[in-house]
Amino acid sequence: MYRTRNDLPESARTKLVELLNARLADAIDLQTQCKQAHWNVKGPEFIALHKLFDEVNEAVEEYVDLIAERAVQLGGVADGTARVAAERSSLPEYPVKGGDGREHVGALSAVLAAFGKLVRAEIDRANELSDADTADLFTEVSRGVDKWLWFVEAHLQAER
Ligand SMILES: [Fe+2]
C-alpha cells in the first residue's frame, strides 16, 4: 500500500483494494467475453447483436477503469494484466464456440448476471468498511450491468 492523505483507515483501504482487484479481474474477463461474442456472432440478428455486444463491451471497459482507479486512489496497486485477470477471475470461460445468436445471447446473459451478483455483494462489503464511495462505485457498476443484462436478455424474453 502507498501512503496517502486519504482519511479512510489503512486496514479498510487494504481490504477495499483486495475486493476491487478481485472484481477488476472479473471485469476484464467479462470485457473479453463481450468482444468474443461481438466478433463471432452470426445469423439473422447478426448486425443488431454485433453492435449490441460492442456497446456492452464499451460500458464494461468503463467499469474496468473505474474499479482499477479506485484501487489506486485508496493507495493500492491495480492488478489488471491479462494474465492476472485470467488467473483470478471468478467467471467461467466463455462457452460458445459457434455463431448462433441465441447461444451468444444466453452466454452473455449468464456472465453478465454472474458478474452483477458479485458486484452487488461488494456494495454491502464496501459499506461495512465505511467506504460509501466504493459502495457508490459498485452501485453504479451494478446498475449498469442490470441494464445491459436487460438489453441482452430481452432477446430471450418474448414468451414468459
Ligand atoms: Fe468491432
Side-chain angles (χ1 to χ4, degrees):
M1 296 289 289
Y2 285 92
R3 279 153 59 115
T4 167
R5 289 190 167 83
N6 187 302
D7 67 299
L8 287 165
E10 181 168 355
S11 58
R13 286 189 287 105
T14 303
K15 287 182 194 137
L16 288 156
V17 167
E18 224 168 84
L19 59 88
L20 283 158
N21 269 318
R23 300 294 73 82
L24 175 62
D26 298 346
I28 292 167
D29 187 3
L30 174 61
Q31 203 196 333
T32 68
Q33 298 198 23
C34 294
K35 276 295 195 186
Q36 185 73 7
H38 165 72
W39 293 322
N40 290 304
V41 69
K42 293 185 189 296
E45 292 188 87
F46 165 74
I47 197 63
L49 292 177
H50 176 71
K51 286 181 176 172
L52 172 61
F53 295 159
D54 211 25
E55 272 185 68
V56 184
N57 157 70
E58 279 163 25
V60 175
E61 189 178 10
E62 281 173 35
Y63 307 151
V64 165
D65 210 44
L66 281 173
I67 295 168
E69 290 181 357
R70 183 71 190 159
V72 177
Q73 287 157 28
L74 294 175
V77 173
D79 294 323
T81 65
R83 277 166 197 78
V84 169
E87 200 177 290
R88 289 194 191 159
S89 174
S90 351
L91 304 175
E93 174 60 303
Y94 192 71
V96 181
K97 301 292 176 213
D100 186 275
R102 270 184 93 82
E103 281 181 28
H104 282 290
V105 163
L108 209 56
S109 298
V111 74
L112 280 165
F115 180 67
K117 182 179 177 180
L118 289 160
V119 169
R120 213 184 309 280
E122 303 299 13
I123 299 170
D124 290 339
R125 261 183 236 141
N127 275 325
E128 281 160 22
L129 294 163
S130 305
D131 184 357
D133 303 301
T134 298
D136 178 65
L137 186 155
F138 280 128
T139 304
E140 179 183 340
V141 172
S142 152
R143 190 175 57 240
V145 170
D146 279 357
K147 187 191 87 169
W148 292 114
L149 175 59
W150 164 43
F151 270 50
V152 176
E153 200 173 39
H155 294 84
L156 303 172
Q157 288 175 322
E159 313 95 32
R160 287 205 218 188

